[in-house]
């Protein structure tokens, strides 16, 4: 962590072996890709300086949208776990057979995979309960949608996600929107499991902006937020990206002026609109008007 007390020391440099395991691995991996710069939020943002945090939070869209690649330690609960997960013996590769043709030999390996090892295999609400830690964090949702490319380091394998496709070590799903070709469950045809691709498609031909924003907010509100004051900032980068395709729409604390009559008809899960606020405690400090979904906790 960079704090006001460590800022001057950080400017002089950091020893690689002094970094937490995940950051250490990220530096090595970045160097192997031949990329010079690596941005890590807890190092590049002064953690105990609210003004610096606010300034940098406002730049999240630029940071992630202009990145070459985002490395996501999906399995890690904290920065000490490293990028690469340690497989249990049950899932480690095993020798199968040796193929030979003349003087050429090829060793085949196989490995067992869990029944569910891809985030797109879960139903809409199971995904939030069963997926690895990083998929449950609200801040990560914005980073995911804004990054052009993400390499997910999951508990079982590396998985790829960009604006056009997803893929993994055990298979690929380049044709997952082709109902004739895809081996994936039919719910993926509705794009919900691939919010990055869904948003990219919407931005190409913007239509029905209320529906797309409602989907984004619905997915976002299922995720975990450490600080309730981050509710609005943690989605502001996505709002800015959406706003670039809605130049005449004013953004109003999580809703849009041009679709306000529909946007304001939100309600929490398992409640009626008229009673949506009845069972919810008020936030400890003001963060949004009472008519905004950002003023309450819980899924919508």
């Amino acid at each position: 962590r960079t704090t006001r007390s460590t800022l001057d020391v950080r400017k002089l440099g950091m020893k690689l072996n002094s970094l937490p395991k995940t950051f250490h691995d990220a530096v090595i991996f970045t160097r192997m890709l031949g990329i010079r710069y690596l941005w890590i939020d807890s190092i590049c943002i002064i953690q105990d300086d609210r003004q610096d945090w606010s300034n940098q939070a406002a730049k999240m869209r630029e940071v992630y949208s202009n990145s070459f690649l985002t490395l996501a330690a999906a399995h890690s609960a904290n920065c000490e776990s490293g990028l690469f997960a340690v497989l249990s013996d049950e899932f480690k590769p095993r020798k199968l057979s040796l193929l030979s043709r003349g003087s050429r030999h090829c060793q085949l390996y196989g490995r067992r995979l869990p029944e569910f090892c891809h985030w797109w295999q879960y139903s809409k609400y199971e995904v939030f309960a069963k997926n690895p830690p990083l998929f449950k964090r609200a801040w990560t949702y914005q980073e995911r949608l804004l990054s052009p490319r993400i390499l997910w380091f999951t508990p079982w394998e590396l998985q790829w996600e960009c604006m056009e496709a997803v893929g993994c070590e055990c298979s690929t799903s380049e044709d997952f929107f082709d109902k004739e070709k895809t081996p994936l469950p039919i719910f993926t045809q509705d794009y919900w499991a691939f919010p990055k691709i869904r948003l990219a498609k919407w931005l190409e031909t913007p239509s029905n902006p209320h529906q797309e924003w409602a989907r984004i907010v619905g997915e976002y509100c299922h995720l975990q937020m450490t600080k309730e004051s981050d509710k609005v900032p943690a989605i502001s980068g996505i709002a800015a990206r959406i706003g670039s395709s809605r130049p005449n729409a004013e953004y109003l604390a999580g809703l849009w002026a041009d679709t306000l009559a529909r946007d304001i008809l939100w309600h929490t899960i398992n409640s009626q609109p008229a009673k949506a606020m009845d069972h919810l405690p008020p936030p400890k400090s003001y963060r949004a008007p009472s008519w905004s979904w950002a003023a309450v906790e819980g899924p919508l």
Side-chain angles (χ1 to χ4, degrees):
R1 282 164 48 93
T2 297
T3 63
R4 283 177 288 189
S5 62
T6 63
L7 180 59
D8 290 337
V9 175
R10 290 282 187 267
K11 290 179 178 179
L12 297 176
M14 291 174 286
K15 293 183 178 180
L16 184 60
N17 58 12
S18 71
L19 296 175
K21 177 62 174 171
T22 302
F23 298 172
H24 176 279
D25 290 352
V27 171
I28 299 300
F29 198 90
T30 302
R31 287 177 174 175
M32 292 178 68
L33 291 175
I35 298 173
R36 182 176 180 182
Y37 298 104
L38 174 66
W39 188 90
I40 299 175
D41 57 0
S42 63
I43 293 179
C44 296
I45 300 175
I46 306 173
Q47 299 298 296
D48 59 352
D49 187 324
R50 190 65 188 180
Q51 186 59 52
D52 185 65
W53 186 92
S54 297
N55 293 339
Q56 297 303 317
K59 298 177 181 178
M60 289 300 98
R61 177 191 172 191
E62 288 77 12
V63 169
Y64 284 96
S65 296
N66 294 311
S67 66
F68 176 77
L69 176 67
T70 295
L71 305 179
H75 71 94
S76 299
N78 54 57
C79 61
E80 299 291 347
S81 302
L83 277 183
F84 298 95
V86 178
L87 292 174
S88 64
D89 290 339
E90 181 182 9
F91 299 113
K92 287 182 179 179
R94 304 177 187 276
K95 288 184 178 181
L96 296 180
S97 60
L98 182 67
L99 296 181
S100 300
R101 177 175 294 178
S103 60
R104 300 176 64 183
H105 306 283
C106 178
Q107 178 67 60
L108 295 183
Y109 290 82
R111 64 187 178 99
R112 180 183 177 186
L113 288 176
E115 182 180 1
F116 297 106
C117 64
H118 306 117
W119 74 80
W120 56 81
Q121 289 178 287
Y122 297 105
S123 70
K124 186 169 185 178
Y125 299 112
E126 285 176 330
V127 69
F128 300 106
K130 294 184 178 180
N131 259 338
L134 201 62
F135 284 91
K136 301 177 183 179
R137 293 174 49 194
W139 272 104
T140 302
Y141 184 75
Q142 173 170 265
E143 297 161 4
R144 177 183 180 185
L145 263 64
L146 295 176
S147 300
R149 310 165 194 85
I150 302 179
L151 188 59
W152 296 99
F153 294 77
T154 76
W156 311 283
E157 62 179 2
L158 297 186
Q159 296 175 1
W160 170 267
E161 183 179 21
C162 66
M163 298 294 189
E164 297 182 354
V166 297
C168 60
E169 292 182 74
C170 64
S171 63
T172 185
S173 52
E174 295 175 351
D175 299 313
F176 51 71
F177 292 124
D178 186 333
K179 295 185 180 182
E180 298 299 323
K181 298 180 180 180
T182 180
L184 302 180
I186 194 65
F187 60 77
T188 60
Q189 311 306 324
D190 296 326
Y191 293 92
W192 87 262
F194 306 93
K196 173 191 288 296
I197 298 174
R198 187 191 68 218
L199 178 59
K201 298 289 185 183
W202 182 85
L203 290 170
E204 289 177 2
T205 54
S207 62
N208 198 348
H210 163 76
Q211 183 181 55
E212 178 58 23
W213 183 246
R215 284 175 171 173
I216 288 172
V217 170
E219 292 163 357
Y220 173 72
C221 287
H222 273 83
L223 305 176
Q224 300 169 357
M225 183 74 67
T226 303
K227 297 180 180 179
E228 65 175 28
S229 59
D230 290 350
K231 188 89 170 187
V232 175
I235 200 173
S236 61
I238 301 177
R241 186 68 184 90
I242 292 285
S244 66
S245 296
R246 302 175 67 173
N248 298 319
E250 183 181 2
Y251 184 61
L252 304 170
L255 292 78
W256 297 89
D258 63 340
T259 54
L260 187 60
R262 297 185 66 188
D263 289 356
I264 207 170
L265 297 177
W266 57 270
H267 64 88
T268 57
I269 297 290
N270 299 324
S271 71
Q272 297 299 318
K275 300 180 179 179
M277 303 284 288
D278 292 353
H279 66 291
L280 297 172
K284 296 178 181 179
S285 60
Y286 176 85
R287 65 177 183 232
S290 61
W291 42 261
S292 171
W293 55 265
V296 301
E297 298 293 340
L300 304 182

